[in-house]
């Protein structure tokens, strides 16, 4: 199975960065830095390894383990000596560096001067947290030495917030590196990788989140239920263990944030209901937890989209896989460990239609956003939903010229994502009624239906899974 379906754009960006190193800079400084970020287990390290294998340049690939500053310094020195850098063999007997200044000096002495090389520092946030001098040492080494050499320095990290901060004003490495994000595989990638029909590709995406490690264990051509029946019998399945490892890495000490994330994952979306489900947290504690979760891109805070201001914020888990894991897998692990994955599967079956109906909404909104301008009403620059405190009405899709307070609503839409029920005249009548309750919409506002099967309602444009999957083609 090709683990690089959907990765051609990222490989092309890496190739371009290395080509720029080879061409050199106008100021005689050929060295370049690239900061790569992405969620855990999306395949960042594997992507960089593939890039290195394809171009064949001398390289060093160091992965921080986060145990201690001394341990990572010793590991870095050992990796230099074992690398394919041309002068590395001369450093085999050198003692382990005692500081990052010394470590980067050791690296510079091993780099070639006459051809491009690649240096990768993986899991870099560990190094930043361990040693407050690391960023300054990296900046000094890059400015004084590395930028003058034909080297592509790739800095990789899963802590999205920290990786973004490294390149912000006031930080030592500010404006020294180009930023690149590695996303999960998208629904179209998932469909191609697993050879699934468009509707089934969306199901597989909702469960896997597009994580390559899960997709690699998914039998080609197997539908959702075939895969789940297999994975839930295996306690070491990537479907099971990836969620726990992600939470342990993201929240090693923040148990309150993890509790709040679990409440949102279980389906609670409003501030008051999350507080109640999380053990009657006081507002201050909950606000701090939600702020941490949103900063780490684990949770999205969303407002209704219309021409009227609203404070009805709702929260959802950002990552589709983690949303599925928190809803079903995490609570079911004790049963799976006792060999009763069949009971967990029964629970998923009984809740699947309702759960999927909510979980697919942000994915389909993104698909709409990616469609060409010709497929959406003119002036659509933002796509969201609309709700009130009482959910009367609650509208799946709202297009507008801007968000969260629009000047103009460009369309109103409904999602009907059921296997055997098309979007019909009753659904259309309900949508027309809801449109009349939406601030900024009127009888002339265009309507749109997204349906898993088909539409039998007259005079309303509709899009099917195949249409929506084309947004990523």
């Amino acid at each position: 199975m090709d683990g690089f379906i959907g990765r051609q754009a990222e490989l092309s960006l890496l190739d371009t960065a290395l080509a720029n190193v080879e061409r050199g800079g106008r100021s005689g400084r050929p060295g370049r830095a690239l900061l790569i970020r992405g969620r855990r287990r999306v395949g960042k390290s594997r992507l960089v390894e593939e890039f290195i294998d394809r171009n064949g340049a001398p390289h060093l690939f160091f992965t921080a383990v986060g145990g201690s500053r001394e341990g990572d310094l010793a590991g870095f020195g050992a990796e230099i000596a074992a690398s394919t850098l041309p002068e590395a063999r001369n450093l085999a007997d050198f003692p382990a560096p005692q500081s990052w200044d010394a470590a980067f000096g050791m690296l510079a002495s091993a780099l070639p001067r006459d051809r491009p090389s690649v240096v990768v520092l993986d899991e870099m946030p560990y190094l930043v947290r361990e040693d407050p001098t690391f960023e300054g040492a990296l900046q000094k080494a890059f400015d004084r030495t590395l930028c003058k050499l034909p080297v592509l320095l790739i800095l990789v990290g899963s802590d999205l917030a920290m990786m973004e901060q490294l390149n912000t004003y006031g930080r030592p490495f500010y404006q020294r590196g180009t930023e690149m994000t590695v996303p999960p595989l998208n629904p179209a990638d998932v469909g191609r990788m697993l050879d699934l029909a468009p509707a089934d590709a969306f199901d597989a995406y909702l469960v896997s989140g597009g994580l390559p490690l899960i997709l690699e264990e998914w039998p080609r051509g197997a539908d959702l239920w075939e895969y789940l029946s297999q994975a839930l019998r295996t306690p070491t399945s990537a479907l099971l263990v990836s969620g726990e490892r992600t939470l342990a890495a993201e929240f090693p000490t923040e148990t309150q944030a993890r509790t709040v994330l679990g409440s949102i994952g279980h389906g609670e979306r409003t501030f008051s209901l999350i507080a109640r489900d999380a053990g009657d947290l006081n507002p201050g504690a909950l606000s701090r937890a939600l702020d941490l979760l949103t900063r780490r891109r684990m949770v999205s805070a969303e407002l209704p989209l219309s021409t009227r201001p609203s404070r009805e914020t709702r929260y959802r888990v950002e990552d589709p896989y983690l949303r599925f894991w928190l809803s079903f897998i995490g609570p079911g692990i004790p049963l799976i460990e006792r060999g009763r994955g069949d009971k967990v599967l029964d629970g998923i079956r009984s809740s699947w239609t309702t759960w999927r109906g909510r979980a697919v909404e942000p994915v389909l909104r993104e698909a709409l956003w990616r469609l060409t301008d010709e497929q959406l009403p003119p002036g659509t620059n933002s796509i969201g939903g609309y709700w009130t405190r009482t959910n009367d009405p609650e509208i799946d899709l709202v297009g507008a010229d801007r968000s969260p307070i629009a000047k103009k609503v460009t369309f109103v839409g409904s999602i009907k994502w059921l296997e055997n029920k098309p979007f019909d005249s009753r659904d259309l009548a309900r949508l027309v009624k809801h449109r009349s309750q939406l601030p900024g919409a009127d009888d002339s506002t265009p309507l749109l239906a997204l349906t898993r099967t088909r539409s039998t309602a007259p005079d309303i444009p509709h899009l099917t899974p195949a249409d929506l999957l084309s947004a990523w083609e």
Side-chain angles (χ1 to χ4, degrees):
M1 195 176 288
D2 185 355
F4 280 87
I5 290 176
R7 294 302 191 212
Q8 295 311 308
E10 288 82 5
L11 287 169
S12 178
L13 288 171
L14 289 167
D15 287 338
T16 299
L18 188 61
N20 289 336
V21 169
E22 191 167 13
R23 282 194 295 268
R26 292 180 180 177
S27 60
R29 297 189 168 209
R32 298 287 188 275
L34 191 63
L35 286 79
I36 298 181
R37 64 178 183 266
R39 296 191 182 282
R40 295 186 185 280
R41 312 182 83 79
V42 299
K44 300 182 297 299
S45 302
R46 182 71 184 88
L47 169 68
V48 175
E49 288 171 351
E50 180 71 10
F51 161 69
I52 290 171
D53 289 345
R54 291 187 183 193
N55 67 64
H59 69 276
L60 161 70
F61 196 117
F62 170 68
T63 302
V65 296
S68 67
R69 172 180 176 275
E70 292 73 20
D72 275 326
L73 281 167
F76 186 74
E79 287 290 350
I80 294 176
S83 72
T84 61
L85 299 177
E87 301 300 321
R89 60 185 179 275
N90 298 326
L91 302 174
D93 296 327
F94 273 50
Q98 299 303 301
S99 69
W100 284 108
D101 283 329
F104 290 130
M106 185 177 177
L107 170 65
S109 69
L111 293 172
R113 269 63 177 166
D114 58 345
R115 55 176 171 151
S117 62
V118 179
V119 172
V120 183
L121 301 184
D122 198 4
E123 298 292 358
M124 201 182 77
Y126 287 144
L127 304 177
V128 175
R129 282 193 288 263
E130 282 173 0
D131 187 348
T133 70
F134 173 82
E135 284 185 80
L138 178 65
Q139 174 256 315
K140 184 166 63 176
F142 188 79
D143 287 354
R144 294 183 180 179
T145 308
L146 300 182
C147 73
K148 301 174 185 177
L149 300 174
V151 59
L152 176 60
L153 177 64
I154 302 178
L155 311 173
V156 185
S158 301
D159 187 326
L160 303 185
M162 179 177 287
M163 291 300 292
E164 288 178 354
Q165 291 167 8
L166 290 174
N167 205 25
T168 56
Y169 180 76
R171 300 294 284 260
F173 213 67
Y174 175 57
Q175 288 193 338
R176 287 169 174 80
T178 301
E179 296 183 67
M180 172 179 165
T181 301
V182 178
L185 297 176
N186 62 53
D189 297 332
V190 171
R192 284 194 297 272
M193 190 172 182
L194 302 181
D195 192 22
L196 295 175
D200 292 331
F202 278 107
D203 285 351
Y205 178 77
L206 292 178
V207 169
S208 68
L211 298 184
L213 196 63
I214 296 175
L215 296 171
E216 285 167 6
E217 69 176 21
W218 193 306
R220 191 173 182 85
D223 68 14
L224 170 70
W225 304 111
E226 290 176 84
Y227 169 67
L228 288 178
S229 65
Q230 167 190 299
L232 295 175
R233 291 197 303 266
T234 311
T236 57
S237 164
L239 179 73
L240 274 61
V241 302
S242 295
E244 187 61 43
R245 289 176 179 173
T246 295
L247 295 180
E250 291 285 348
F251 308 109
T253 57
E254 298 98 338
T255 56
Q256 202 162 75
R258 185 165 170 169
T259 299
V260 170
L261 181 66
S263 296
I264 301 170
H266 295 156
E268 304 302 347
R269 296 187 292 158
T270 67
F271 191 92
S272 58
L273 291 178
I274 294 167
R276 186 184 307 166
D277 188 78
D280 291 323
L281 279 182
N282 67 66
L286 179 54
S287 293
R288 287 190 294 273
L290 288 170
D291 180 63
L292 175 64
L293 291 167
T294 52
R295 280 191 286 108
R296 293 192 181 177
R297 308 292 193 276
M298 303 294 285
V299 164
S300 288
E302 299 174 329
L303 287 167
L305 178 56
S306 77
T307 57
R308 182 181 302 166
S310 173
R311 301 197 314 185
E312 295 299 323
T313 304
R314 289 189 175 173
Y315 301 89
R316 65 174 174 84
V317 177
E318 181 76 24
D319 175 17
Y321 160 69
L322 199 55
R323 193 181 311 140
F324 179 79
W325 191 92
L326 289 165
S327 297
F328 301 111
I329 305 300
I333 283 179
L335 281 171
I336 296 168
E337 290 176 340
R338 297 205 308 268
R340 295 311 308 271
D342 58 312
K343 293 183 71 66
V344 177
L345 183 61
D346 289 343
I348 297 173
R349 283 186 186 276
S350 65
S351 303
W352 175 250
T353 299
T354 301
W355 181 88
R356 180 181 62 186
R358 181 71 67 184
V360 79
E361 288 181 6
V363 181
L364 300 186
R365 287 177 191 144
E366 182 183 354
L368 281 180
W369 173 244
R370 289 174 174 272
L371 289 174
T372 60
D373 291 342
E374 292 76 17
Q375 294 171 280
L376 293 175
T380 302
N381 299 315
S382 183
I383 297 174
Y386 179 78
W387 55 87
T388 62
R389 179 167 298 187
T390 60
N391 288 333
D392 183 20
E394 185 174 21
I395 302 174
D396 300 330
L397 300 168
V398 176
D401 59 342
R402 66 181 192 181
S403 64
I405 306 172
K407 285 188 175 180
K408 180 182 180 181
V409 173
T410 58
F411 75 88
V412 180
S414 176
I415 298 172
K416 185 71 172 285
W417 211 251
L418 301 173
E419 275 88 351
N420 302 313
K421 292 184 179 181
F423 184 90
D424 59 23
S425 296
R426 287 177 298 179
D427 297 313
L428 176 57
R430 187 180 305 110
L431 180 58
V432 169
K433 178 183 177 183
H434 287 170
R435 179 180 62 179
S436 70
Q437 298 171 280
L438 175 65
D442 56 33
D443 291 349
S444 67
T445 304
L447 299 175
L448 177 66
L450 308 187
T451 173
R452 186 179 170 88
T453 52
R454 66 191 192 283
S455 173
T456 59
D459 303 323
I460 178 172
H462 72 279
L463 297 173
T464 65
D467 299 321
L468 293 161
L469 213 58
S470 70
W472 287 278
E473 298 293 346

